């Protein structure tokens, strides 16, 4: 009797450096303009990937669609409009000079606003700026910083170190939102803060369009920042009186009722929202006797686009993962044509919007073509073409993240496949919940994990060219990339063909 052929090894040969390079050379070329979500280059990338899936013989699983390989959805591009203004009495203040906003704004028309002054805007046991204050539906004015002793030590922490209130305006914005406030106007009376400089530095960032998911309400409380002179006029006071007021808080370590009489101001700050269409690309290979169960292989094809006239090609991030899943799709499709198709079904999912905030995988997970309950695993590949500093001059490796967090067996199977076929050094350091990088939460697999779908994330770590224009194909190490892609291929092959499905048996942090 002849030995059984190892078909997995045979078709893994199709996942090779040459094929990977062929796809990456297209996706990471300047013609694709850095593949920014909703922009021309991203649509081109989606079209290219869909065409590869089709050519390889995969089907498009989108139901009732003329374009069954693409899952289209809208995101919004949000920018501040021209002509934002703030007036107190006869004095007019300038946008990005005297005031600016972050996140959203309810002031699409010029609106009369008379904010409630809430001191430092702090609430914690033993100290509440909101005691006796009703701010529901109102706008609040809050001083940045926190009560401090003359030596600079924070008074609200046990050891004098700064608290979240002093460190991060968002803690205060969140508290104001919890109290029902509509917006928050922040001001710093710290003499070391130079508002004009800060506004000038933040200007380009504030003026740049941001891309967001279309949601019912903004995720963050609309927050505006005022120059001290604006706030002092608004409060009908002067710098000396304000200094005395804050000194009294520091002295008593308690909020102090102020005598400030807030004046009305006219505010106009318009957020322009333009819908942008974008799309995930889906290629499907139907299984045989276990076809109802789905294995997802995902990677994001979007990247950072063009910035200041320079194309960010994102060869590693995530041209590498995208090329890998396209190449794996070709190999699995060929195997099926030759009569060695998978028992379970495979979904190759090329998502958009990752760099903007995992939008494509979020959209898919909320609008799955195959229910999450029958999705057995997501193998996500994001950056597999380079070497990080920790592994320079060391044996070939890959970081594997999250593989035992929901299903302990997934990690065991991956290790067995690696031992048999690829012999990579599997680095699990980022599985440590204390690791500050939090990579487990930072790529598309996470939107599967939150739905209790076991995931494994394959990653080469960050390097000097990460999110830089220098993330180019010339720096990709194809032999390493081939090995990593083959490991994912062998893992997918085993998951698709083994008798039992991987079960969720743990819930590790
Ligand atoms: Zn990425």
């Amino acid at each position: 009797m002849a030995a059984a052929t190892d078909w997995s090894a045979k078709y893994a040969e199709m996942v090779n450096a040459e094929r990977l390079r062929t796809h990456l050379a297209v996706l990471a070329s300047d013609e694709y303009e850095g593949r920014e979500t909703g922009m021309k280059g991203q649509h081109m990338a989606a079209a290219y990937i869909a065409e590869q899936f089709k050519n390889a013989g995969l089907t498009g699983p989108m139901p009732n669609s003329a374009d069954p390989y693409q899952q289209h959805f809208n995101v919004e591009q949000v920018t501040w409009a021209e002509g934002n203004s703030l007036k107190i009495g006869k004095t007019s203040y300038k946008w990005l000079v005297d005031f600016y906003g972050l996140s959203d704004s309810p002031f699409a028309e010029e609106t009369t606003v008379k904010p409630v002054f809430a001191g430092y805007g702090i609430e914690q046991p033993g100290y509440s700026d909101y005691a006796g204050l009703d701010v529901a539906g109102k706008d609040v004015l809050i001083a940045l910083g926190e009560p401090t002793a003359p030596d600079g030590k924070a008074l609200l922490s046990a050891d004098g170190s700064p608290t979240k209130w002093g460190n991060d305006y968002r803690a205060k914005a969140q508290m104001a939102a919890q109290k029902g406030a509509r917006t928050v106007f922040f001001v710093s009376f710290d003499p070391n803060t130079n508002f004009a400089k800060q506004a000038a530095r933040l200007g380009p960032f504030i003026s740049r369009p941001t891309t967001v998911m279309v949601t019912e309400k903004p995720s963050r409380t609309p927050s505006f920042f005022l120059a001290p002179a604006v706030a002092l006029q608004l409060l009908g006071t002067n710098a000396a009186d304000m200094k005395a007021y804050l000194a009294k808080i520091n002295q008593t370590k308690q909020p102090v009722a102020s005598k400030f009489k807030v004046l009305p101001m006219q505010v106009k700050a318009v957020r322009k929202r333009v819908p942008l269409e974008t799309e995930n690309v889906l290629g499907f290979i139907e299984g045989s006797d276990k076809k109802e169960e789905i294995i997802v292989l995902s990677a994001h094809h979007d990247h950072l686009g063009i910035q200041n006239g320079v194309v960010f090609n994102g060869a590693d991030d995530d041209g590498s993962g995208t090329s890998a899943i396209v190449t794996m799709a070709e190999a699995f499709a060929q195997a099926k044509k030759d009569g060695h198709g998978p028992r379970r079904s495979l979904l190759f999912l090329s998502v958009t919007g990752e760099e903007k905030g995992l939008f494509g995988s979020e959209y898919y997970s909320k609008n799955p073509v195959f229910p999450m309950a029958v999705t057995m695993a997501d193998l996500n590949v994001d950056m597999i073409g380079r070497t990080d500093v920790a592994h320079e001059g060391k044996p070939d490796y890959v970081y594997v993240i999250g593989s035992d967090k929901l299903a302990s067996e997934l990690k065991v199977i991956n290790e067995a496949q690696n031992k048999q076929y690829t012999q990579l050094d599997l680095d699990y350091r980022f599985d440590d919940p204390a690791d500050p990088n939090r990579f487990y939460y930072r790529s598309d697999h996470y939107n599967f994990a939150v739905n209790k779908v076991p995931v494994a994330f394959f990653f080469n770590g960050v390097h000097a060219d990460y999110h830089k224009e220098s993330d180019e194909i010339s720096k990709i190490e194809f032999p390493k990339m081939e090995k990593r892609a083959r490991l994912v291929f062998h893992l997918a092959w085993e998951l698709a063909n083994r008798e039992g499905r991987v079960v969720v048996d743990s819930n590790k942090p």
Side-chain angles (χ1 to χ4, degrees):
M1 208 175 90
T5 307
D6 182 348
W7 296 112
S8 164
K10 175 171 158 53
Y11 290 99
E13 285 169 20
M14 283 183 71
V15 182
N16 59 50
E18 195 193 335
R19 283 310 288 165
L20 293 167
R21 183 190 288 277
T22 300
H23 296 307
L24 190 55
V26 175
L27 294 166
S29 65
D30 284 352
E31 205 192 331
Y32 281 66
E33 297 184 350
R35 311 184 302 275
E36 185 173 3
T37 300
M39 302 295 164
K40 183 181 149 209
Q42 184 262 309
H43 298 309
M44 285 170 65
Y48 175 81
I49 296 156
E51 198 189 324
Q52 305 314 304
F53 286 162
K54 195 174 176 183
N55 290 346
L58 281 77
T59 56
M62 291 303 296
N64 313 315
S65 172
D67 182 12
Y69 294 92
Q70 300 198 33
Q71 181 179 45
H72 297 276
F73 62 99
N74 275 350
V75 292
E76 277 179 337
Q77 194 179 49
V78 190
T79 35
W80 291 103
E82 304 283 309
N84 293 339
S85 60
L86 191 158
K87 285 176 226 157
I88 305 173
K90 288 190 164 43
T91 318
S92 291
Y93 291 103
K94 277 204 179 77
W95 177 250
L96 293 181
V97 176
D98 304 307
F99 77 110
Y100 60 82
L102 300 176
S103 73
D104 224 305
S105 167
F107 309 125
E109 308 288 338
E110 188 170 83
T111 308
T112 301
V113 180
K114 211 177 152 192
V116 177
F117 182 56
Y120 277 120
I122 293 172
E123 182 163 279
Q124 67 173 41
Y127 190 103
S128 174
D129 280 307
Y130 288 99
L133 224 54
D134 176 17
V135 300
K138 298 175 187 168
D139 308 288
V140 292
L141 175 63
I142 288 174
L144 291 164
E146 62 182 312
T148 44
D151 62 1
K153 288 213 165 102
L155 294 169
L156 295 184
S157 64
D159 61 356
S161 61
T163 69
K164 65 172 179 179
W165 306 112
N167 276 336
D168 190 352
Y169 79 91
R170 285 171 295 192
K172 294 182 175 185
Q174 212 172 60
M175 178 53 69
Q178 220 174 297
K179 298 288 178 185
R182 175 173 66 165
T183 69
V184 186
F185 288 82
F186 287 106
V187 56
S188 172
F189 293 114
D190 180 346
N192 298 317
T193 308
N194 185 331
F195 186 86
K197 250 190 180 169
Q198 203 171 59
R201 183 174 56 79
L202 287 174
F205 163 76
I206 292 168
S207 305
R208 198 185 300 156
T210 53
T211 304
V212 300
M213 284 292 261
V214 182
T215 49
E216 310 262 299
K217 57 177 201 157
S219 53
R220 283 198 279 149
T221 321
S223 299
F224 295 91
F225 294 78
L226 304 177
V230 181
L232 290 173
Q233 191 190 353
L234 189 62
L235 289 165
T237 186
N238 57 48
D241 284 353
M242 180 53 71
K243 198 175 164 191
Y245 166 78
L246 295 172
K248 202 166 173 195
I249 296 175
N250 292 341
Q251 233 165 48
T252 59
K253 301 182 191 177
Q254 277 301 316
V256 173
S258 84
K259 296 196 174 65
F260 305 130
K261 294 270 178 290
V262 181
L263 301 173
M265 59 178 168
Q266 273 71 48
V267 184
K268 187 179 172 194
V270 187
R271 282 302 245 172
K272 256 193 322 197
R273 316 185 83 91
V274 179
L276 273 186
E277 195 180 47
T278 189
E279 50 278 319
N280 294 324
V281 188
L282 288 73
F284 185 64
I285 296 179
E286 192 176 58
S288 53
D289 61 319
K290 293 180 185 289
K291 67 179 177 193
E292 307 304 330
E293 294 176 1
I294 311 290
I295 317 274
V296 176
L297 290 104
S298 58
H300 71 89
H301 64 259
D302 69 294
H303 192 56
L304 303 174
I306 300 174
Q307 292 178 20
N308 301 320
V310 181
V311 182
F312 282 53
N313 280 317
D316 191 30
D317 186 9
D318 184 24
S320 65
T322 304
S323 305
I325 65 163
V326 169
T327 305
M328 286 188 261
E330 292 170 339
F332 273 108
Q334 186 60 49
K336 184 172 175 179
K337 276 181 203 157
D338 298 345
H340 308 294
R343 297 176 70 189
R344 294 186 177 81
S345 297
L346 297 170
L347 174 66
F348 295 86
L349 177 62
S350 172
V351 294
T352 181
E354 195 270 354
E355 304 285 9
K356 305 289 186 191
L358 315 185
F359 294 167
S361 52
E362 180 184 338
Y363 186 83
Y364 178 83
S365 71
K366 288 178 176 160
N367 304 273
V369 178
F370 306 97
M372 287 291 158
V374 299
T375 303
M376 192 172 101
D378 169 45
L379 311 182
N380 186 45
V381 194
D382 190 356
M383 297 169 63
I384 55 160
R386 297 288 300 274
T387 301
D388 71 352
V389 175
H391 292 87
E392 268 169 22
K394 301 228 173 99
D396 290 354
Y397 74 101
V398 67
Y399 292 107
V400 184
I401 301 172
S403 64
D404 68 346
K405 291 209 188 286
L406 289 166
S408 50
E409 208 182 3
L410 184 55
K411 181 175 181 175
V412 175
I413 297 168
N414 185 50
E415 286 188 342
Q417 295 303 92
N418 181 55
K419 192 172 171 209
Q420 187 172 352
Y421 296 105
T422 42
Q423 294 91 38
L424 286 160
D425 173 15
L426 304 182
D427 193 324
Y428 296 112
R429 78 181 69 181
F430 296 126
D431 270 342
D432 179 353
D435 185 89
N437 291 296
R438 294 172 60 81
F439 288 124
Y440 183 59
Y441 304 92
R442 283 176 51 190
S443 187
D444 297 299
H445 56 276
Y446 187 65
N447 282 316
F448 287 89
V450 292
N451 285 293
K452 293 277 174 276
V453 174
V455 304
F457 169 31
F458 297 86
F459 174 54
N460 53 223
V462 296
H463 43 76
D465 302 306
Y466 173 69
H467 281 198
K468 302 257 166 62
E469 60 186 271
S470 51
D471 181 2
E472 294 280 7
I473 190 169
S474 57
K475 296 186 177 172
I476 295 292
E477 301 164 83
F478 283 98
K480 260 184 207 176
M481 184 173 158
E482 176 188 286
K483 259 195 205 178
R484 292 167 180 152
R486 281 186 181 175
L487 171 59
V488 181
F489 176 83
H490 284 294
L491 175 58
W493 185 286
E494 174 61 21
L495 292 176
N497 288 297
R498 71 201 326 265
E499 190 52 38
R501 82 174 264 183
V502 167
V503 291
V504 175
D505 63 356
S506 65
N507 190 12
K508 291 191 182 175

